[in-house]
Amino acid sequence: MINTSFEQRAERRNRLIGLLRSEEYWKTSDLREQLGVSQRTLMRELAELKKAGYPIESDRGRGGGIRLNGRWGIDRLNLSHHEVIELILSLAIMESLKSPLLTSNLKAIKQKLFQAFPQEQRNAVSNIRKRIMIGDNAGANTVSRYTEPAQALSESIAEAFLRQRCLEIDYQSDSGEKTTRVIEAQYILLNWPIWYITAWDHLRSSSRMFRIDRIQNARMVDGYFQLRPIEEFIGAYTPYYKSI
C-alpha cells in the first residue's frame, strides 16, 4: 500500500510544477499561499525539483520571483503532428488491450499528454480513435499463420489511414489469389496481434476486410475519401468491437 504522506507530497509537487508552468513569475509568498505550505517546505520542494532536472530560476529584486525557465514539458520534444497522434493512439491501444502488467497508469498518462497538446491535435486524435476498433485476441490457429508486415509497408498503410488517402494494394487472399485494387482504409480492427483494414474496395464496389499481413505492397494514389458508418463494414460484429 502506498504511504499517504508520499501521495500527498507527490500531489503537492505536481501542483507546484503546474503553477510554475502557468505563469512567467511567481512570488514565493504567492506559491506558499497556493500550496498551503511554509517557506521551508516550499524551498525544499523547489530544491528537489532542481535536483530532478527542472530548470528553476530565482530572480532577486523588485518584480522578480521564481520561474521555470523556458518551455519545459512535452512540447520540448518537438514532436511532429503525426508523431503526436501516433503517441496518443499507441497509449490508447495499450490501455484497451488491458494488459495486467505495467499499464496501471496508462489512462492518467494518456490524459495528461492529451491535455498538453494543442486543440487541433486533440481534435484529430479524438476523430481517429473512433476509427480504431479493438476486439478479442486472435485464436491460436490464426496467430500461427501470421507474419509481421515490413515496417515500410505498415508506415504507408498508416499514413493513408490517418490522412484518409486512397491506397493501391497488392493483396494475396487466404486461398492464394493475388489481386491489385484501390481501397479506402476506413477503419482498422485489431484482434491482437492481427490487424485488419475494413475498407471500401473500388474493385468490388463494396466493403471488404483485408488482413494487413497479407498486403504485399501498398502505395498512396490520388484522391481522398469520406468516412462511412462503421456498421457498413462489420455489421452484426459491431457489438464485439470497441473504439479506443
Side-chain angles (χ1 to χ4, degrees):
M1 183 175 179
I2 298 176
N3 185 279
T4 302
S5 61
F6 177 82
E7 289 182 333
Q8 291 173 341
R9 289 198 302 272
E11 182 179 356
R12 182 173 63 210
R13 191 161 298 172
N14 286 334
R15 283 192 61 205
L16 175 56
I17 293 169
L19 290 170
L20 291 171
R21 285 174 173 164
S22 67
E23 299 288 346
E24 185 175 0
Y25 290 99
W26 280 92
K27 293 181 180 179
T28 56
S29 58
D30 292 335
L31 284 174
R32 291 200 314 269
E33 181 179 352
Q34 289 287 333
L35 297 171
V37 298
S38 65
Q39 178 75 8
R40 181 178 179 181
T41 298
L42 176 62
M43 292 298 103
R44 184 177 67 243
E45 293 291 352
L46 290 170
E48 288 295 326
L49 289 178
K50 283 185 179 180
K51 188 183 297 184
Y54 285 81
I56 294 173
E57 297 180 350
S58 57
D59 295 330
R60 298 181 180 275
R62 189 173 182 178
I66 306 295
R67 67 174 180 173
L68 192 60
N69 184 31
R71 294 167 63 83
W72 180 257
I74 192 68
D75 51 351
R76 295 183 73 226
L77 295 176
N78 294 319
L79 297 175
S80 70
H81 180 71
H82 279 173
E83 286 172 336
V84 167
I85 291 173
E86 289 180 6
L87 173 60
I88 297 295
L89 292 178
S90 296
L91 290 173
I93 291 168
M94 284 298 299
E95 182 187 357
S96 298
L97 291 175
K98 298 180 180 178
S99 170
L101 295 175
L102 305 177
T103 58
S104 59
N105 293 312
L106 272 183
K107 184 175 182 179
I109 294 169
K110 181 190 66 181
Q111 290 175 340
K112 289 177 181 178
L113 287 172
F114 188 72
Q115 293 302 320
F117 296 129
Q119 186 63 48
E120 177 188 1
Q121 290 173 328
R122 295 205 299 268
N123 291 341
V125 169
S126 295
N127 291 333
I128 293 170
R129 286 182 62 178
K130 298 173 185 177
R131 298 171 57 206
I132 301 177
M133 315 294 289
I134 306 292
D136 293 334
N137 290 351
N141 184 50
T142 302
V143 173
S144 68
R145 294 180 285 117
Y146 168 73
T147 302
E148 186 174 348
Q151 183 176 348
L153 176 66
S154 298
E155 289 175 353
S156 296
I157 294 171
E159 184 175 3
F161 172 76
L162 293 173
R163 297 176 60 187
Q164 292 181 220
R165 289 282 302 273
C166 292
L167 192 67
E168 185 178 63
I169 63 171
D170 298 325
Y171 189 75
Q172 181 171 319
S173 68
D174 190 34
S175 64
E177 179 188 6
K178 295 182 179 181
T179 56
T180 298
R181 57 186 79 200
V182 174
I183 64 171
E184 301 171 2
Q186 297 268 340
Y187 297 87
I188 289 180
L189 308 182
L190 173 60
N191 292 104
W192 182 263
I194 314 294
W195 290 90
Y196 299 85
I197 296 175
T198 56
W200 183 258
D201 180 8
H202 290 202
L203 180 65
R204 308 298 186 194
S205 295
S206 63
S207 60
R208 287 288 188 275
M209 187 177 295
F210 302 95
R211 250 178 65 168
I212 289 180
D213 61 313
R214 291 181 182 156
I215 298 176
Q216 298 177 328
N217 292 291
R219 48 209 164 267
M220 281 192 295
V221 295
D222 291 339
Y224 293 84
F225 61 84
Q226 297 296 317
L227 292 180
R228 300 168 183 258
I230 183 64
E231 291 77 14
E232 290 187 19
F233 296 91
I234 60 176
Y237 293 97
T238 303
Y240 299 99
Y241 289 90
K242 292 184 178 180
S243 62
I244 62 171

